[in-house]
Amino acid sequence: MGLSRLAALHGVATSFSPSADVTVSVPDDTVTAVLAALGVDAATPAEVRRSLAAAESAAASRLLPPTVVTWSGEPLPAALTALPPGALLTVDPEPGATGARSPLRMRVLPAPAPAPDASTPRTPSWWTEPPLGVHRLTVRTPDHRHATVTLVVAPDRVPQPPARTHGFLVQLYSMLSARSWGMGDLSDLADLAAWAGRTLGSGFVQVNPLHAAVPGSPTDPSPYRPSSRRFPDPVHLHIESIPEYGHVSEPGRAALDDLRQEAAALREAVLNKGALIDRDAVWALKRQALEIVHEVPLTPGRRAAYCDFLAGQGQALEDHALWCALAEVHGPRWRTWPEGLRDPRSPQSARARTELLDRVDFHCRLAWLTDTQLAAAQSAARDSGMAVGIVHDLAVGVHPDGADTWAQQDAFAQGMSVGAPPDAFNAHGQDWGLPPWRPDALAASGYAPYRHLLRGLLAHAGALRIDHVMGLFRLWWVPEGLPPTEGAYVGQDAEAMLAVLVLEAHRAGAVVIGEDLGTVEPGVREALARRGVLGTSVLWFERDWNGRGRPLAPEKWREGCVATATTHDLPSTAARLTGEHVTLRHRLGLLARSLEQELAEDAADTAEWLACLARLRLLPEGEGDEEAAVRAVHRFLLRTPARMAGVWLPDTVGDRRPQNLPGTWDQYPNWRLPIADADGHPVTLEEITASPRLHRLMAVMTDGQEPPTAPPGARPS
């Protein structure tokens, strides 16, 4: 009983429900390990009693939690209304906050008797709402108690798309142009956005996370397991677009020409010789080119812009660049570095900053160059008329050996990994190998790491997609050495996580999209919708579960979502309609039942959807035409009230292969495939945009207009 009470005080759940009628207890060893990661000793009954007494005493004497949230125009939280009469509140505004001038002072007055007809809480008369921002709040009570905490004042909702719109979803690396260095880059992204906005009236392009990867040989190709979520990866740079590239002199120019020839060979191998995208090979070439370009002095104006970037990024960028420099010397696993270098604040690390100054500057410069090309991509999108522009993606966590875990060690729970509990779809649970943030450390810091992360991602974004958005509320922690079945849910302060998100999105004028597929805790979708966070709705999963599980009628879909036919983790629409995704899993030995059973069930499911499409008169071409069925699926999406409709770019050319096949590692080339046509032949960005098949599909998305004439030389499809 004591352990359960102690766990509850620290947000650790001692049971979970894999289904509505089942409750599973969390093993005591798991609870003890999770509490230890939170700095709470529960190793013995005596330690449990001591820790419980300390936690209860702290809770009883606490004036306010470390972070307090208020929503603009909404009643105050109980933490503030419960303060004793006569308490003096002083709000020191966030530097630079709009409307902030000098400290605000308020004195708590006795609460008046409630009116007989009062049905909702009211803001007390003594409260003066501070401007939006992250402020310092100090409270002093008449009995001489005091506390200084963080006060987050947030608007009630995030910005919304100005109108219903459609756009593309794409994994950037997979979209090679005729000038790419072996994988898609930020110039290709800008080009796609400019073309889609101007030619098709598209409102957005959503990409995979562009976070910095952990260097290595080979590098982990997954964009969802990065070294740092705070800074982008320079592998996405378009080298020739860097202004200094044009001013390289001999012999650097000859070396660059040689590198471009090698890059062309990489591109040719991927597009025409069946090679996989080789991120490491691409980076090896780009890094050599960047070393040469780095030797070109910046002009005065460019130098001033770079210095402004350094000042704006501050310590976070310096830490990231130092980690990159140290990884060049000692390898990417910082826990194996010489002991003094494992601490970013140690004297040894301070000396390394000086000794490796040139390399630190090099990596800072790469971050700046990547930032400028991210800005250029968003500018190209908005200049083309896109209502939203580039939609960036926030991964749920970072690699345990990466730059973020080194620079922010106090913020991460040691010896823990996040994942998912066992459920009806996966009896073994999941361990994603990503260390979680400590909720207590985030709260004590006023959510500084989270705020700075969001601010960096939103700087050049029209919208932000948050992978596994349920993690704002709770995450499944798996102690090191235990299977995923023996994890536990650890709760976040969802009110604070949401308030920071809404505030930063408001400041950036950006839409927020939450990936809320799968098992979702009751109340989560409602809480997100209240704050204007759009959900994610995928056609095949939208069913009327109150009836017989039939396809959900389009008018019954939620409005606050991005509606799509598929995602990067699911089969392409063509593969889904033809059953090829089942045969692929069979070839890889991933089916739990016989191929015949799986194919029969899949065919029945597809037939049900095709019948639904025909009944709604969305399939005028009749059955038996795969391309027509893909168009019908997208006509269905447009029948829903969804604010945004996303088209998976590989679907526009009939690609059969998923970009990622969950449950595989080396059995399938996850994250390494170029976009291909229906025959499996890789296609360039130029060929995609000229594809008659694409234009026939996008005519559906542009209100049924006739497709524009494809340019001369377009490849038939």
Side-chain angles (χ1 to χ4, degrees), residues 558-612:
R558 53 184 170 169
E559 177 183 353
C561 76
V562 178
T564 70
T566 189
T567 74
H568 59 267
D569 282 333
L570 295 172
S572 71
T573 306
R576 183 75 185 229
L577 290 168
T578 58
E580 290 185 29
H581 68 111
V582 177
T583 56
L584 171 63
R585 295 183 66 82
H586 171 67
R587 288 198 304 272
L588 299 176
L590 299 176
L591 297 183
R593 298 179 297 173
S594 71
L595 175 62
E596 292 74 18
Q597 288 176 302
E598 294 281 355
L599 284 173
E601 182 176 297
D602 183 71
D605 182 71
T606 300
E608 187 175 35
W609 272 104
L610 290 173
C612 174

Side-chain angles (χ1 to χ4, degrees), residues 23 42 189 203 212 268 270 287 356 430 489 507 567 586 677 686:
T23 299
L189 175 60
E268 174 68 14
V270 171
R287 179 172 170 177
L356 299 173
Q430 300 175 55
Y489 275 118
R507 286 172 161 171
T567 74
H586 171 67
D677 62 18
E686 293 83 357

Side-chain angles (χ1 to χ4, degrees), residues 7-18:
L9 286 172
H10 292 279
V12 181
T14 54
S15 65
F16 68 98
S17 298

Side-chain angles (χ1 to χ4, degrees), residues 119-357:
S119 58
T120 57
R122 296 180 179 178
T123 300
S125 59
W126 53 264
W127 176 256
T128 300
E129 185 171 287
L132 300 178
V134 181
H135 316 300
R136 298 302 294 167
L137 169 63
T138 300
V139 177
R140 299 184 183 277
T141 65
D143 59 356
H144 306 297
R145 291 182 296 156
H146 74 277
T148 298
V149 301
T150 300
L151 173 66
V152 180
V153 182
D156 62 341
R157 285 169 66 82
V158 300
Q160 299 295 293
R164 287 195 69 191
T165 188
H166 65 82
F168 289 114
L169 319 176
V170 63
Q171 298 282 292
L172 180 56
Y173 59 84
S174 71
M175 186 184 68
L176 285 73
S177 71
R179 60 184 183 180
S180 302
W181 284 37
M183 61 183 281
D185 59 40
L186 290 171
S187 178
D188 298 326
L189 175 60
D191 208 32
L192 173 68
W195 170 82
R198 296 179 189 278
T199 305
L200 305 174
S202 300
F204 65 93
V205 174
Q206 178 180 305
V207 296
N208 55 285
L210 304 182
H211 310 319
V214 178
S217 184
T219 301
D220 188 335
S222 172
Y224 291 92
R225 203 161 182 252
S227 168
S228 172
R229 297 187 295 175
R230 177 66 182 80
F231 295 100
D233 199 311
V235 75
H236 301 112
L237 282 168
H238 181 242
I239 302 298
E240 294 92 329
S241 294
I242 299 171
E244 288 71 38
Y245 177 89
H247 298 280
V248 172
S249 58
E250 294 292 348
R253 173 60 56 188
L256 286 176
D257 289 342
D258 290 342
L259 291 170
R260 289 184 63 188
Q261 290 297 318
E262 293 184 60
L266 280 180
R267 180 177 65 244
E268 174 68 14
V270 171
L271 293 174
N272 294 310
K273 298 181 179 178
L276 298 175
I277 292 170
D278 188 340
R279 183 198 176 283
D280 294 335
V282 172
W283 176 236
L285 297 180
K286 288 191 176 183
R287 179 172 170 177
Q288 293 177 66
L290 289 164
E291 298 277 8
I292 295 169
V293 173
H294 186 64
E295 296 299 317
V296 178
L298 297 175
T299 65
R302 294 269 293 163
R303 169 62 62 180
Y306 177 44
C307 290
D308 281 351
F309 179 78
L310 293 175
Q313 302 301 318
Q315 186 72 55
L317 176 57
E318 187 179 332
D319 286 344
H320 176 74
L322 178 59
W323 182 90
C324 293
L326 288 170
E328 292 176 340
V329 178
H330 301 288
R333 296 181 175 275
W334 62 264
R335 289 179 176 83
T336 66
W337 292 353
E339 186 172 354
L341 297 178
R342 298 174 203 168
D343 177 2
R345 306 290 169 250
S346 71
Q348 293 91 333
S349 292
R351 284 197 299 272
R353 291 175 198 270
T354 301
E355 295 166 356
L356 299 173
L357 186 60

